[in-house]
Structure formats: C-alpha cells, structure tokens
Amino acid sequence: MSDHQTVVAALFGAPGSVRIPATQALGTVTVAEIAAPLGLPGFDNSAMDGYAVRADEIASATDGSPVRLPVAEDIPAGRTDRLTLQPGTAHRIMTGAPVPVGADAVIPVEVTDGRVDIVTIRSAVPAGRHIRTAGSDIAAGEPAIPAGTRLGAPQIGLLAALGITEVTVAPRLRVVVLSTGSELVTPGTPLQYGQIYESNGPMLTAAATEAGADATHVHFVTDDVGAFRARLDEISDDADLIITSGGVSAGAFEVVKDALAASGEVEFVKVAMQPGMPQGCGRYASPSGRAVPIVTLPGNPVSSLVSFEVFIRTPLRAAMGLPPDRRRVHAHLESDIRSPAGKRQFLRGVLSRSEPDDAEGFAVKPIGPPASHHLRYLARADALIDIAADVDAVSAGTPVDVIML
C-alpha cells in the first residue's frame, strides 16, 4: 500500500504561485511573507465614545467636585480635517474618530453628563487612556502575514485593513471528478430495475473541495471506451488532476482499465488493503499535449472515498501548500474485530472520550460490516480504524491506530 501512496504522491509537484484578489484567497496559502504597507491604526484614534481632553486639566475631577469644560468640536468617525484641542476645552469624540492634536486622553461618556455645549466630567483619567496610538497594532514595514499561512477570516480582514487587494498564494488545484458505469443514473431521475443513483461523483467532488481544491463534477459516462476517452479529452485541458471512480476491477466491462491500460497511460495495481484493492494512477495526454495526473479509484462507494483519504488527500493538499489535516490518535477498541490476513483494513468507527482528562483518551466503536457498499455506516463514521496487514484479530480494549475524519 505504501508503494502506491508513493507513486500517487509523485504525480503532484511542489506548490506553484498565483496572484489573485485578496477577497478570493480564503483557504489558500501564502508563498511569501506579506509586509504591512502602512501602520494600523493609521492615526491616533479614540477607543471610546466620550470626550478628548488634556488629562492634567481634569486630574481633580470627582463625583463631588466635577470639572466643566466647553465643548469646542464634535468629532465623528470618518472626519478628515485635522483639529487641535485648545487648552481649557474638550471635543466630543466617537469611537474610531481621530484624536485632535493637543489631546492626550479620552474620558468615557459614562462619567460625564453627555452635553454638547459644556460637559461635566466626574472622573479623572491618566494621559494616554482610551487612545489607540498610530501603529500600535502593526507598524508600516512589519511582517503582517508569514509565508506558508493559510488565509482564513482573520487574515482576510487584516489584508483588507492594510489596503492590500492582491496576494501571491499557492493556487487551488483544479480537480475534475468523473464516474463511470452504465448502471448510473442522475439523482432525481426515476430508477429502472438494475439502475442506481450516482453517488461517487458528488462524494469525491465534496472530498476534493473539502481538501482545499477547486473541484468539478462532470457527468458520468457509460461503459464505452470511446465515450470515456472522448470525455477525458473534453476535460483534461482544464484539469490539474482527474479522479475517476469505477471501471478498474477484473470484470468484463471495466471501461477505465480497458481505455487506459493498453496505452500505458495508467498503471493498474492490486493494493493489499480493504476496502479499495483495485487502484490505478498515471498521466493522461490531453489534446493540447499536457500530461495530466489521473488517479483511478474503485467504484464501490466506501472503497472510493477511503481510497481518496488514503492515497489522494495528503499529496493533493501538499501540492497546494496545505499541511495534512487528518489527525491520527490511539483509541481503545470497544469490541472485538477480525481482519483479513495480509490486507491492511480501514474499518469505519465512531470515536468517544474514554478518559476526559487525557489528551488522547479516546475509545472507538467499530460500526457496520466491512463490505465496501455500506455507505450508510461511512456516513455515520467520524474515524477510520487502521488495522495493519499482519493483524487478523484485535480484542476489545486494545489500543488501535485511528484516523480522525
């Protein structure tokens, strides 16, 4: 299994770079450090609604002996003219508004009578209180976002606050998902006897999107080699990775295998794992001459998604500059299990906390049969129980390796 993981990973290159609007960069990873082009705040501003004052002029203010000052100006947030506070006066000021020259403190409105002509101040504040000084968050030229940072909502907010409209990031890979099978029908269409709704395409498209890619699901094709290759020609020039499901086993109508094995574009192998034994990967020659990575997954839904998790997810993320995001923990098995000798098995499981104070105090309950068509139990699982190929039975209470989904 590890050999096939290595072969699939080799299909992906190192992360590239692309310049995109910052508003479209959510979830991407920076390839270079981003420095602040300006300081934040860009000017001294008020942290409170209140009055800009000279701290020494209200130092004696108390409830019993308030200080009264004429209000010379009203300063809402967004006022752009530069004001100067004259001695013996106050300026009414709103949160975020620029502090006038000469003021060294803001007195909160709550300790005043709130008047706009002559304000009565009932408390003193020290110099500097309730003023956000220019550059106190970040100074111009300072590192704002390091290289290798995945951009989330806080980083997008910082970029906007700094006036940065474009960023250089590792691009999202374009993943195209294509299912095969004459038995497949689009959900919403009435089923005939012997037909099934196509689930792998939406499922794998969701998995690739969840992994950070720009994933597209194209309509499935029937078990016809010519139609399959024609569809690959249609989609390959717009793809950085093609994922197919179905048509890779040992049956008589294995369209993916029939279309790609003889040409040598894809190598098909049997991997010692359950579910997901039949696998394939290689590069497809697009009409324009691009060698597009292609990974061919088995058609049973559990096999298909487990194979994505085992073989594709981590190298796909690495090619976009993203770290692995599936945590591995040890968990105590809640019931006995058996595993086929010589195959690495991935059982569906549900995690719980066995020891709340222990960082890895997990227990895991296997759910559902091991067969690869039981999608119901995969939908309920939040973990894959990873059983080594040389193990054929594990007793309840034994620690096992678990991949958290």
Side-chain angles (χ1 to χ4, degrees), residues 55-402:
D56 60 351
E57 293 183 346
I58 63 163
S60 64
T62 65
D63 278 335
S65 180
V67 172
R68 293 178 174 83
L69 295 173
V71 180
E73 292 284 352
D74 222 11
I75 314 177
R79 185 165 176 174
T80 58
D81 54 333
R82 295 177 181 270
L83 299 173
T84 298
L85 179 69
Q86 299 299 327
T89 66
H91 289 181
R92 192 171 73 143
I93 193 168
M94 303 299 120
T95 302
V99 175
V101 176
D104 60 5
V106 171
I107 189 75
V109 68
E110 290 82 0
V111 294
T112 74
D113 62 359
R115 292 176 64 109
V116 297
D117 49 0
I118 297 176
V119 62
T120 299
I121 299 170
R122 302 187 305 271
S123 178
V125 292
R129 183 63 57 86
H130 304 311
I131 292 178
R132 304 163 178 159
T133 58
S136 58
D137 185 6
I138 188 169
E142 278 191 317
I145 299 177
T149 299
R150 187 179 188 185
L151 297 175
Q155 291 79 26
I156 297 297
L158 177 58
L159 292 170
L162 290 169
I164 295 173
T165 58
E166 291 188 337
V167 289
T168 302
V169 297
R172 295 182 183 91
L173 295 191
R174 299 168 299 168
V175 176
V176 179
V177 178
L178 174 62
S179 299
T180 64
S182 296
E183 75 279 16
L184 301 179
V185 175
T186 303
T189 303
L191 287 175
Q192 297 182 28
Y193 182 74
Q195 294 181 327
I196 62 173
Y197 287 126
E198 203 264 309
S199 60
N200 286 0
M203 179 174 64
L204 291 170
T205 303
T209 301
E210 184 184 55
D214 181 5
T216 303
H217 176 212
V218 298
H219 190 66
F220 54 84
V221 294
T222 58
D223 292 324
D224 179 271
V225 168
F228 175 67
R229 290 197 68 98
R231 183 59 56 83
L232 288 179
D233 285 344
E234 290 173 9
I235 66 178
S236 54
D237 275 326
D238 293 321
D240 299 309
L241 170 67
I242 299 169
I243 300 174
T244 69
S245 69
V248 296
S249 295
F253 299 99
E254 304 298 342
V255 64
V256 177
K257 204 171 190 178
D258 294 343
L260 300 175
S263 65
E265 292 164 295
V266 171
E267 180 182 4
F268 294 91
V269 296
K270 291 183 178 180
V271 177
M273 64 180 276
Q274 186 186 57
M277 181 179 69
Q279 302 286 339
C281 70
R283 295 183 183 275
Y284 185 77
S286 76
S288 68
R290 294 178 66 232
V292 184
I294 181 170
V295 180
T296 62
L297 302 180
N300 277 320
V302 177
S303 296
S304 195
L305 188 59
V306 169
S307 297
F308 179 91
E309 290 289 336
V310 171
F311 297 114
I312 299 177
R313 187 181 186 94
T314 295
L316 174 63
R317 286 177 60 82
M320 297 182 289
L322 295 165
D325 65 340
R326 293 305 198 209
R327 181 183 171 194
R328 281 184 173 265
V329 298
H330 287 96
H332 290 88
L333 199 60
E334 290 192 9
S335 59
D336 297 345
I337 59 173
R338 298 196 64 81
S339 185
K343 288 187 177 181
R344 188 169 172 182
Q345 184 166 204
F346 295 89
L347 292 172
R348 279 72 76 196
V350 175
L351 281 169
S352 60
R353 279 285 186 181
S354 60
E355 301 172 33
D357 295 332
D358 183 352
E360 286 203 1
F362 291 103
V364 64
K365 178 182 179 181
I367 58 169
S372 57
H373 66 285
H374 289 289
L375 188 56
R376 165 191 176 184
Y377 295 102
L378 182 61
R380 287 177 53 196
D382 59 9
L384 293 176
I385 306 169
D386 187 356
I387 307 299
D390 59 355
V391 174
D392 59 8
V394 186
S395 301
T398 304
V400 289
D401 195 24
V402 170

